[in-house]
Amino acid sequence: MVNGDKEVQGLQLPYKYENSLLLYISSHNCEISLLLFVAIWETQNTQAKVQINLRCSFIGSFLMEKYELIKEKNKRGFFEGRSLITSKIVTLKQLVVHPVEGVPASLIKEISLLHELENPNVIRLLEVVNSKHQTTMVLVYERMEMDLKGFMCIYPTVMTSPWTRKVLLRQILNAVSFFHSYNLIHGKIKPENIFVDPDTKVLKVTDFIWPRSILNQDSGDPHEDSTYNYMAPEILIEQKQYTTALDVWSVGCVFAEMVTKTPLFPAKTEFHQLLKIFSIMGTPHEETWPGIDEMHPHSYIYSRSEPKDLRELVPGLEPAGIDLLNIEVSLYDDHETYFAKVFSLALMPNVNNMGIFL
Amino acid sequence: PPADDAVIDSLIASEPHHRPIHRSIHRQDSINWILTAHAHYGFKPATAILSVNYFDRFLSSASLPGNNIWAFQLLSVACLSLAAKMEELRIPSLVDLQVSEPRFVFESKTVQSMELLVLSNLHWRLRSVTPFDFLNYFISQLPVSCRPDNHDPHGR
C-alpha cells in the first residue's frame, strides 16, 4: 500500500537525539493516512547513517510531543519508545482507521475492554494517542523486553532448561486462560506476539487487537512467513469456527518450538500448512475426526499419512510434556474436555510451585 | 456471571469514574435528539443511557467551540454512534444515523473525527456502569414469587 521508498536527500531532520533512532516524516497523506517514514539510524561508533525504510506505516508527528521512538521492536509492528514526560520506556503499536463508517465497532469494544483486563501475563495498555487528523492512532503499552522468537535465538542455552520452558509455558497458559475467562479468543498466539523479560523470565502475551479490524478484513500478515504456522487445522479448513481450542493449538505449536527452536509445522501457504499438519498428525478421516468429510469435502486431495511419533519430532521433551503436547495439537477432540485436560495437566498446583508436569 | 455481593461492590466502586459534572444549556436538546434517533432505530435501552453518559462525560472533561449548536449536534451523533457500536448488533451508517432532519448533517469523516475525540477524552473507557448492570442482582434478591416470569438472566 505504501508506494516506493524515498531517498534521504536534503532532509531537514526535525529531531535529533544522540545515538538514538531519528525519525523523519517524508510524506503524509492524511486522507488514507498511510504514512511513509524514513528513519535514520546513527550508530554509536561510526555515526554512519543507515537508512531504514519502515515498510509498515508508522507514527505521526503527533506522537513526538509525548513519545520518542527508540527502535523497531520486531516485524510485527511493535516499536520501542520513551515517554518524554516520564522518561519511561514504552512499547508502541500503530493502527490506521479507514474513514468509512467511523471507528470500527470491534476496535471500540476491544480497546475499552482491554482497559479493564489486568493480568500479570497480559501486556497492559497505558493509553491511546490519536493523530491530529484523527485517522491514525497509536496504542501505548508498558515496556516489553524482547519477543519469544528473539529470546529463543539470543538465549538458546537457557531454553534447553526444562525449568525455563515450564516457567514460560505456564505463563502463556495463564494468559490464554485469562482471555478465555472473558470469552475472548486471542487468535494469534505465536512467538512474535509473546514477550519475555530475559532476567526475570516474566512473560507477557500481547493483546488481541490486530490491524485486521481496521485496515481490511484480511486477518493474515502478508509480509510474514509464519502466519499459518500456528493456526489450528479447523480454522485453515473452515475459517469460521472460532473456538478457544484454536488458542490451545497455537500454544502447543509454541511449546514444541521452545524445545526444538523451529516451528513444529513450518509452511508458507494455507494449503501447505494443512499438508504439513496432516503429514505429522496423520491425515484425518471420519474415524479420527468425525464430521471431517462434511467439513472438508476435498480432503481426499491430501495424501494419506499416518500419525508420527511426537517424541521423535520434539526430542528432549520429557514424557509428561509429550503428553501435554499431544493433547494440545490433537486434530480432533471434544472441545470441552480438550480444553479442561490441557489446563488441568499444565496448571495443576504442584510441587515447587511450578505446576507443570513435574 | 453469577451476581453476588462482590460484583455489586465493584460496580458501586467504579461508578464515580463515569459520573458527569457538567451541565450545558444545549444538553436537553441534544438528549432529545439522541432519544429520537434511538427510538427511530429501536435501539436497546442501554444504548440511550450509554450515549448520554458519553455525552456528559465528554463535556465534563472538554468544552465545545463557542457553545455552537452544530458542535453539540456533532457530539450527539458521535456519542450515539459509539454507544450503538458498543451495544447493538445492527448499526446504521453514520449518515443514516442522523435522522429526523437535524439542522446540521455531518459527513461520516467528520463524525469519525468526533468519535475519536470523544474516545480520547473518555480514555477509551466505554464500558460504563449503567443501571442495567445492577438489575440482575436486584432481581435475584427478590423472593421467587416476585420475580418476573421470564427474566432475562443477562439483565438486558
Side-chain angles (χ1 to χ4, degrees):
Chain A
M1 294 245 254
V2 178
N3 44 15
D5 303 342
K6 271 209 163 172
E7 295 298 320
V8 194
Q9 282 174 355
L11 294 184
Q12 289 189 322
L13 294 171
Y15 290 91
K16 180 167 175 162
Y17 298 103
E18 275 296 308
N19 302 329
S20 69
L21 188 67
L22 299 177
L23 267 190
Y24 178 77
I25 308 151
S26 62
S27 71
H28 50 107
N29 172 356
C30 294
E31 279 309 297
I32 308 298
S33 108
L34 275 174
L35 310 168
L36 172 70
F37 295 91
V38 180
I40 297 176
W41 173 256
E42 281 187 311
T43 59
Q44 290 201 338
N45 302 324
T46 61
Q47 295 288 310
K49 291 185 176 177
V50 183
Q51 179 187 337
I52 305 163
N53 275 321
L54 305 181
R55 285 219 148 267
C56 57
S57 54
F58 191 69
I59 297 199
S61 53
F62 63 94
L63 201 65
M64 290 302 196
E65 294 163 18
K66 292 177 96 171
Y67 296 96
E68 159 196 19
L69 279 195
I70 299 174
K71 63 181 182 205
E72 193 174 5
K73 206 114 181 109
N74 67 13
K75 300 289 176 206
R76 300 269 315 129
F78 289 101
F79 287 74
E80 188 166 290
R82 181 185 294 118
S83 164
L84 295 177
I85 302 158
T86 62
S87 300
K88 278 217 170 106
I89 302 290
V90 293
T91 304
L92 307 161
K93 179 162 77 178
Q94 188 215 24
L95 300 174
V96 178
V97 181
H98 238 306
V100 182
E101 279 311 322
V103 186
S106 56
L107 189 68
I108 295 173
K109 285 182 201 158
E110 286 170 358
I111 295 185
S112 54
L113 179 60
L114 193 61
H115 274 302
E116 294 175 19
L117 301 185
E118 271 190 51
N119 182 283
N121 299 121
V122 175
I123 199 77
R124 204 156 59 82
L125 179 67
L126 300 176
E127 72 167 324
V128 183
V129 184
N130 293 347
S131 72
K132 204 178 282 171
H133 300 280
Q134 312 282 9
T135 44
T136 312
M137 58 185 95
V138 173
L139 306 184
V140 181
Y141 300 91
E142 63 181 324
R143 179 181 196 164
M144 303 185 226
E145 284 296 335
M146 63 172 66
D147 68 26
L148 186 58
K149 193 121 196 147
F151 183 77
M152 291 191 289
C153 283
I154 296 170
Y155 301 97
T157 48
V158 176
M159 288 305 291
T160 56
S161 143
W163 185 85
T164 310
R165 295 198 299 253
K166 289 171 190 178
V167 168
L168 296 179
L169 177 65
R170 191 170 70 148
Q171 295 181 81
I172 298 174
L173 285 170
N174 181 33
V176 169
S177 69
F178 175 73
F179 281 127
H180 293 180
S181 72
Y182 275 84
N183 281 331
L184 295 167
I185 296 162
H186 186 287
K188 284 220 173 175
I189 300 282
K190 53 191 205 174
E192 292 92 333
N193 290 331
I194 297 170
F195 286 80
V196 183
D197 183 326
D199 299 326
T200 62
K201 307 289 183 299
V202 169
L203 175 148
K204 287 176 192 281
V205 175
T206 58
D207 57 66
F208 41 81
I209 296 174
W210 307 113
R212 63 164 160 74
S213 51
I214 306 110
L215 277 177
N216 48 42
Q217 293 307 306
D218 179 14
S219 59
D221 308 276
H223 305 298
E224 225 182 324
D225 294 338
S226 66
T227 303
Y228 301 112
N229 292 358
Y230 308 90
M231 276 190 190
E234 59 263 38
I235 202 72
L236 289 162
I237 295 171
E238 270 204 326
Q239 312 231 326
K240 58 181 179 189
Q241 250 194 356
Y242 276 92
T243 67
T244 49
L246 296 181
D247 286 340
V248 178
W249 174 280
S250 307
V251 172
C253 296
V254 173
F255 180 36
E257 192 168 335
M258 286 200 282
V259 183
T260 62
K261 316 286 187 299
T262 51
L264 183 59
F265 305 115
K268 300 234 173 187
T269 66
E270 251 173 292
F271 176 77
H272 287 106
Q273 189 65 58
L274 273 179
L275 211 58
K276 189 74 201 173
I277 292 172
F278 293 162
S279 75
I280 292 176
M281 303 311 296
T283 311
H285 45 85
E286 276 298 314
E287 276 171 33
T288 57
W289 185 340
I292 183 65
D293 287 353
E294 194 190 332
M295 195 172 163
H296 196 11
H298 306 297
S299 58
Y300 56 83
I301 55 173
Y302 300 102
S303 55
R304 300 217 75 135
S305 321
E306 291 304 312
K308 296 209 169 47
D309 193 343
L310 284 178
R311 275 176 297 189
E312 287 164 25
L313 287 158
V314 192
L317 185 58
E318 46 288 69
I322 292 285
D323 288 348
L324 178 60
L325 186 58
N326 257 317
I327 297 172
E328 286 175 330
V329 296
S330 66
L331 283 185
Y332 177 84
D333 208 332
D334 175 34
H335 283 145
E336 293 295 317
T337 59
Y338 174 92
F339 193 59
K341 264 192 277 182
V342 172
F343 282 101
S344 63
L345 198 53
L347 295 173
M348 229 168 0
N350 214 322
V351 220
N352 296 348
N353 203 23
M354 283 296 310
I356 309 164
F357 46 85
L358 278 170
Chain B
D4 56 23
D5 293 1
V7 172
I8 295 303
D9 286 346
S10 79
L11 289 174
I12 290 171
S14 67
E15 197 182 25
H17 299 298
H18 304 278
R19 207 173 267 163
I21 53 168
H22 183 276
R23 287 285 180 272
S24 162
I25 44 165
H26 297 300
R27 184 176 185 271
Q28 195 55 52
D29 293 341
S30 301
I31 291 176
N32 286 344
W33 179 83
I34 288 175
L35 293 178
T36 307
H38 179 271
H40 180 94
Y41 283 105
F43 286 155
K44 296 175 191 167
T47 307
I49 292 197
L50 285 179
S51 309
V52 177
N53 174 278
Y54 302 158
F55 183 93
D56 286 335
R57 280 168 62 205
F58 179 85
L59 290 177
S60 304
S61 64
S63 55
L64 291 171
N67 257 357
N68 286 320
I69 297 175
W70 66 263
F72 279 88
Q73 177 61 25
L74 179 56
L75 176 61
S76 310
V77 175
C79 289
L80 180 60
S81 160
L82 289 173
K85 283 172 180 175
M86 287 297 284
E87 282 294 320
E88 304 293 335
L89 291 175
R90 295 189 51 186
I91 303 157
S93 78
L94 290 177
V95 173
D96 289 344
L97 192 62
Q98 304 178 52
V99 295
S100 83
E101 300 181 359
R103 269 174 66 195
F104 305 95
V105 176
F106 303 95
E107 286 179 44
S108 53
K109 213 173 84 180
T110 316
V111 181
Q112 172 179 310
S113 297
M114 194 66 203
E115 280 182 348
L116 275 163
L117 192 62
V118 173
L119 286 167
S120 174
N121 270 283
L122 267 51
H123 304 290
W124 288 79
R125 288 179 180 266
L126 297 200
R127 290 158 51 89
S128 311
V129 176
T130 68
F132 299 101
D133 297 311
F134 295 91
L135 266 186
N136 207 26
Y137 174 78
F138 290 133
I139 291 173
S140 75
Q141 295 298 303
L142 291 173
V144 177
S145 57
C146 300
R147 283 182 207 169
D149 287 341
N150 296 313
H151 103 260
D152 175 2
H154 300 293
R156 295 261 156 120

